Amino acid sequence: SQQGEEDPQALSIQEGENATMNCSYKTSINNLQWYRQNSGRGLVHLILIRSNEREKHSGRLRVTLDTSKKSSSLLITASRAADTASYFCATGNAGGTSYGKLTFGQGTILTVHP
Amino acid sequence: NAGVTQTPKFQVLKTGQSMTLQCAQDMNHNSMYWYRQDPGMGLRLIYYSASEGTTDKGEVPNGYNVSRLNKREFSLRLESAAPSQTSVYFCASSEEVSGWVVGGYTFGSGTRLTVV
């Protein structure tokens, strides 16, 4: 079963626009992460936000986390054609001995047109 | 370059054949994972290893076995391949300290497996 569910499934924008992707999850987490996957490649870690954090920034990326709503969003500002990829959220469950084990969502396909 | 190395990159098997997917990391990470990625399904955890000498089942372990050979290497074995195991397989590693993750996963480039 999938813990994280991304929305929208696909997003198409023009270069220079902002892209926002959302992720909802069901159970308590200790961290939430976002990954990018270019076609035919492995996943690349973008950003990690812990359950006691509300917002993090990394370059053109901004991630928010609302644990009361069990949701997160990834904002990419001033998008570029090179940002075209699939984006996945992944959650690390709280408690037990799960440690670093992550559950991934199905991803959002982002297409940025030049 | 530091990272996670997977071999082979591509493989075609006949139903019933066996094979081992190899994975090695050179970042001294404690934890290693095997995921499979199918269209529309995201990534699903097959097995993971929190430390050398330990392995645990993930969400979809049936039909697979794993070996954590040492801290660097974590292999995935298909004993009798089935068409349902056609997928892209990813190995990943990560570091945790006292139950807290330190950074994210580092993924390998994947193995594209087709079972006919």
Side-chain angles (χ1 to χ4, degrees):
Chain A
S1 61
Q2 300 296 323
Q3 162 76 313
E5 297 291 337
E6 283 98 337
D7 172 59
Q9 291 187 332
L11 180 61
S12 182
I13 60 174
Q14 296 295 127
E15 254 189 340
E17 294 181 340
N18 295 342
T20 300
M21 287 159 270
N22 302 297
C23 172
S24 61
Y25 58 92
K26 297 174 183 174
T27 61
S28 295
I29 61 171
N30 65 25
N31 74 93
L32 185 145
Q33 304 181 29
W34 286 90
Y35 288 81
R36 183 188 74 233
Q37 183 180 35
N38 292 91
S39 181
R41 308 292 294 272
L43 281 76
V44 174
H45 179 252
L46 296 176
I47 199 164
L48 180 154
I49 187 165
R50 301 192 188 282
S51 57
N52 60 352
E53 299 175 312
R54 292 297 169 258
E55 187 172 312
K56 286 192 81 170
H57 298 256
S58 177
R60 294 184 296 114
L61 305 181
R62 172 178 172 258
V63 169
T64 61
L65 177 64
D66 187 334
T67 54
S68 67
K69 296 181 179 179
K70 291 187 170 59
S71 67
S72 174
S73 66
L74 170 67
L75 169 67
I76 304 174
T77 60
S79 61
R80 307 166 181 167
D83 294 329
T84 293
S86 294
Y87 291 81
F88 294 88
C89 72
T91 53
N93 290 342
T97 57
S98 298
Y99 291 96
K101 189 173 65 169
L102 294 177
T103 302
F104 286 80
Q106 297 180 2
T108 293
I109 300 171
L110 173 66
T111 304
V112 182
H113 299 280
Chain B
N1 292 335
V4 177
T5 302
Q6 287 183 241
T7 57
K9 294 188 183 304
F10 300 94
Q11 184 72 46
V12 178
L13 289 179
K14 293 182 179 179
T15 297
Q17 286 186 318
S18 62
M19 77 162 295
T20 300
L21 282 66
Q22 306 287 353
C23 175
Q25 53 94 6
D26 58 6
M27 297 165 288
N28 204 38
H29 284 169
N30 291 331
S31 299
M32 298 185 73
Y33 313 85
W34 278 105
Y35 284 85
R36 59 178 289 174
Q37 185 176 32
D38 302 294
M41 298 292 291
L43 279 78
R44 292 181 292 169
L45 182 64
I46 305 171
Y47 271 95
Y48 68 101
S49 171
S51 61
E52 183 180 351
T54 67
T55 61
D56 286 289
K57 296 178 180 179
E59 181 185 356
V60 287
N62 291 344
Y64 306 94
N65 284 300
V66 291
S67 296
R68 182 76 181 266
L69 304 172
N70 47 55
K71 193 170 186 178
R72 290 186 66 247
E73 298 172 286
F74 188 38
S75 62
L76 178 71
R77 182 161 179 84
L78 287 70
E79 291 291 351
S80 179
S84 61
Q85 295 178 304
T86 293
S87 188
V88 182
Y89 291 85
F90 287 102
C91 177
S93 69
S94 70
E95 185 71 8
E96 293 82 40
V97 176
S98 299
W100 287 96
V101 293
V102 178
Y105 282 10
T106 301
F107 278 87
S109 58
T111 296
R112 190 173 297 273
L113 175 67
T114 302
V115 183
V116 298

